[in-house]
C-alpha cells in the first residue's frame, strides 16, 4: 500500500506541474514522466496494481464507444485498402530495422524481429517467452521504450492540432454508474473470448451496442477522464524499470533508434493519409502511430481527434499482427531453429 500511495502522490504532482506549465495532456504525460523519473531517485518500492490501470481503460473505453461513429463503415472498402497498404509497409520497414539491428548489435535475428515489429506489448512478450533463442529482456525493453516514447512524444507533435481536452460535461450523471458497472462486467466476456486489450475494447463495443438499441450514454465529465489518464499514466511510467538500462549500450541505443525511426516513418505515413483521405493531422498521425490500440485511443479522446477512425486503424493493425504477422513470425522462427 505504501508503494501505491507513493506513486499516486508522484503522479498527481506531475499532473499538476504539467498543468501549470500548460503542457499538452498534463494528467497523462505529467504522471508518466514523474513516475518514470522517480524510479531512479525515490527509495523504497513503487507499486501500481493492474486493476487501477484497467479501471482507467474501462473509463476511456466507455468514452470512446460513446463517440464512435458507425457511419465510418459505409466506405470501409477503400479504407481497408489504405490500412492494408500502410501496415504492410510498416511491417516491411520494421523487418529492415530488425536486420540492421542484428548486424549492429550482434543479437539474434529472431530477437530483433520480435522486438522491432510494432504491436501489442503483452502479445510479443508472451511470444518471446514461448519461443526458443529469443532474449526476453531485449524484446521487453524494445516494446516498453516504444510505448513510453510514443505516448510521451506524440502529444507534443499533435499539440498544435488539439481540438479539445476530451470530455463534454463538468457534472457526473448518475446514469453513468450502471453503464460503468455493465462495462466492468463485460470485460469478463472479453477476456473469455480472448479479445485483444479486453479492458479497453469490450467497453467500447458495449457502448456501441447500447447506441444501436437507440439508448444514449451520458457524457463523461472532464475530471473523470483526467483521473483515467492519471491511472493509465502511472502504470506506463512504471513499465520502464531501472534494471532494464543494464543491457549493453548498443542494445539500448538500438531500441531508441528503432523507436525514433518508426515514429518518423509513421509521421510521413500520416501525411499521406491526411492528403488522401482529408483527415486532420491529429487523426491521421494517431491512426498510423506505432502505439497500442488503448494508448492511441486514449490520446484520440484527449486531443479531440476522430476517435472512430483512430480506433479502426489501430484495431486493424492489432488484428493484422495477431492473424498474419505472429503466425508468420512463428513459422520463420521454426525454420531458423531447424536450419
Amino acid at each position: 500500500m505504501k508503494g501505491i500511495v507513493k506513486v499516486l502522490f508522484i503522479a498527481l504532482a506531475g499532473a499538476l506541474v504539467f498543468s501549470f506549465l500548460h503542457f499538452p495532456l498534463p494528467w497523462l504525460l505529467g504522471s508518466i514522466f514523474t513516475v518514470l523519473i522517480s524510479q531512479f531517485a525515490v527509495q523504497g518500492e513503487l507499486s501500481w496494481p493492474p486493476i487501477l490501470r484497467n479501471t482507467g481503460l474501462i473509463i476511456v473505453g466507455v468514452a470512446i464507444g460513446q463517440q464512435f461513429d458507425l457511419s465510418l463503415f459505409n466506405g470501409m472498402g477503400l479504407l481497408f485498402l489504405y490500412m492494408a497498404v500502410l501496415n504492410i509497409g510498416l511491417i516491411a520497414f520494421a523487418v529492415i530495422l530488425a536486420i540492421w539491428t542484428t548486424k549492429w548489435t550482434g543479437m539474434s535475428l529472431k530477437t530483433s524481429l520480435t522486438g522491432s515489429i510494432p504491436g501489442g506489448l503483452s502479445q510479443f512478450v508472451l511470444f518471446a517467452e514461448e519461443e526458443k533463442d529469443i532474449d526476453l529482456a531485449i524484446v521487453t525493453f524494445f516494446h516498453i521504450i516504444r510505448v513510453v516514447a510514443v505516448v510521451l512524444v506524440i502529444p507534443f507533435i499533435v499539440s498544435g492540432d488539439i481540438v479539445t481536452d476530451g470530455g463534454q460535461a463538468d457534472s457526473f450523471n448518475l446514469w453513468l454508474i450502471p453503464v460503468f458497472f455493465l462495462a466492468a462486467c463485460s470485460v469478463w466476456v472479453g477476456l473469455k473470448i480472448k479479445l485483444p486489450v479486453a479492458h479497453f475494447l469490450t467497453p467500447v463495443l458495449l457502448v456501441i451496442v447500447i447506441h444501436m438499441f437507440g439508448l444514449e450514454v451520458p457524457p463523461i465529465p472532464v475530471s473523470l477522464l483526467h483521473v483515467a489518464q492519471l491511472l493509465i499514466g502511472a502504470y506506463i511510467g512504471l513499465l520502464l524499470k531501472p534494471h532494464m538500462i543494464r543491457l549493453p549500450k548498443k542494445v539500448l541505443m538500438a531500441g531508441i533508434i528503432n523507436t525514433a525511426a518508426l515514429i518518423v516513418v509513421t509521421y510521413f505515413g500520416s501525411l499521406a493519409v491526411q492528403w488522401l483521405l482529408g483527415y486532420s493531422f491529429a487523426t491521421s498521425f494517431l491512426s498510423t502511430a506505432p502505439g497500442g490500440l488503448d494508448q492511441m485511443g486514449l490520446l484520440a479522446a484527449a486531443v479531440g481527434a476522430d476517435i472512430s477512425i483512430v480506433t479502426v486503424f489501430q484495431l486493424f493493425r492489432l488484428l493484422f499482427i495477431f492473424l498474419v504477422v505472429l503466425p508468420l513470425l512463428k513459422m520463420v522462427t521454426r525454420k531458423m531453429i531447424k536450419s
Side-chain angles (χ1 to χ4, degrees), residues 23-26 28-29 60 63-64 67 150-167 222 225-226 229 280-287 295-307 310:
F23 284 166
L25 312 187
L28 177 67
L29 301 190
V60 174
I64 287 178
Q67 299 175 54
V150 164
V151 177
L152 278 175
V153 170
I154 286 181
F156 287 95
I157 298 175
V158 301
S159 60
D161 207 36
I162 290 179
V163 178
T164 177
D165 192 32
V222 175
L225 281 175
H226 286 168
Q229 290 173 21
S280 70
F281 174 68
T283 297
S284 301
F285 197 23
L286 292 175
S287 297
Q295 290 107 29
M296 295 305 99
L298 169 60
L299 293 180
V303 305
D306 191 315
I307 285 173
V310 173

Side-chain angles (χ1 to χ4, degrees), residues 98-329:
I99 294 170
W100 168 81
T101 301
T102 297
K103 289 181 178 178
W104 191 53
T105 64
M107 72 174 73
S108 71
L109 181 59
K110 286 182 284 186
T111 297
S112 58
L113 277 171
T114 309
S116 298
I117 296 173
L121 166 65
S122 56
Q123 288 77 31
F124 274 98
V125 170
L126 182 62
F127 172 77
E129 287 176 339
E130 292 173 349
E131 296 296 313
K132 296 177 182 178
D133 303 326
I134 291 181
D135 193 314
L136 180 61
I138 292 176
V139 171
T140 304
F141 171 74
F142 268 54
H143 282 278
I144 286 176
I145 195 70
R146 187 178 304 129
V147 168
V148 174
V150 164
V151 177
L152 278 175
V153 170
I154 286 181
F156 287 95
I157 298 175
V158 301
S159 60
D161 207 36
I162 290 179
V163 178
T164 177
D165 192 32
Q168 300 170 350
D170 294 319
S171 59
F172 186 88
N173 190 311
L174 291 178
W175 282 107
L176 282 172
I177 294 175
V179 172
F180 285 131
F181 177 75
L182 283 173
C185 293
S186 71
V187 170
W188 180 82
V189 178
L191 292 171
K192 277 291 182 184
I193 63 174
K194 296 186 178 178
L195 199 66
V197 203
H199 289 88
F200 170 79
L201 195 52
T202 317
V204 173
L205 296 175
L206 172 72
V207 177
I208 289 174
V209 170
I210 290 174
H211 281 173
M212 288 174 69
F213 279 96
L215 301 174
E216 289 296 323
V217 174
I220 296 178
V222 175
S223 54
L224 188 56
L225 281 175
H226 286 168
V227 170
Q229 290 173 21
L230 187 141
L231 294 175
I232 297 168
Y235 183 86
I236 293 174
L238 281 178
L239 285 176
L240 190 62
K241 305 293 184 184
H243 67 82
M244 291 181 181
I245 63 173
R246 294 173 193 154
L247 290 167
K249 287 183 181 178
K250 276 193 174 181
V251 172
L252 296 176
M253 285 301 299
I256 295 168
I257 293 169
N258 190 295
T259 295
L262 285 169
I263 291 175
V264 169
V265 165
T266 52
Y267 172 81
F268 285 107
S270 72
L271 294 180
V273 170
Q274 186 181 16
W275 178 66
L276 289 168
L277 299 173
Y279 300 150
S280 70
F281 174 68
T283 297
S284 301
F285 197 23
L286 292 175
S287 297
T288 58
L293 170 63
D294 48 347
Q295 290 107 29
M296 295 305 99
L298 169 60
L299 293 180
V303 305
D306 191 315
I307 285 173
S308 308
I309 293 166
V310 173
T311 303
V312 167
F313 264 79
Q314 291 291 341
L315 180 58
F316 180 90
R317 176 182 297 160
L318 192 58
L319 292 175
F320 186 76
I321 297 284
F322 268 106
L323 301 176
V324 179
V325 176
L326 280 177
L328 279 175
L329 200 54

Side-chain angles (χ1 to χ4, degrees), residues 1-12:
M1 183 57 71
K2 266 187 181 179
I4 296 172
V5 172
K6 276 184 186 177
V7 171
L8 177 61
F9 277 104
I10 292 167
L12 188 58

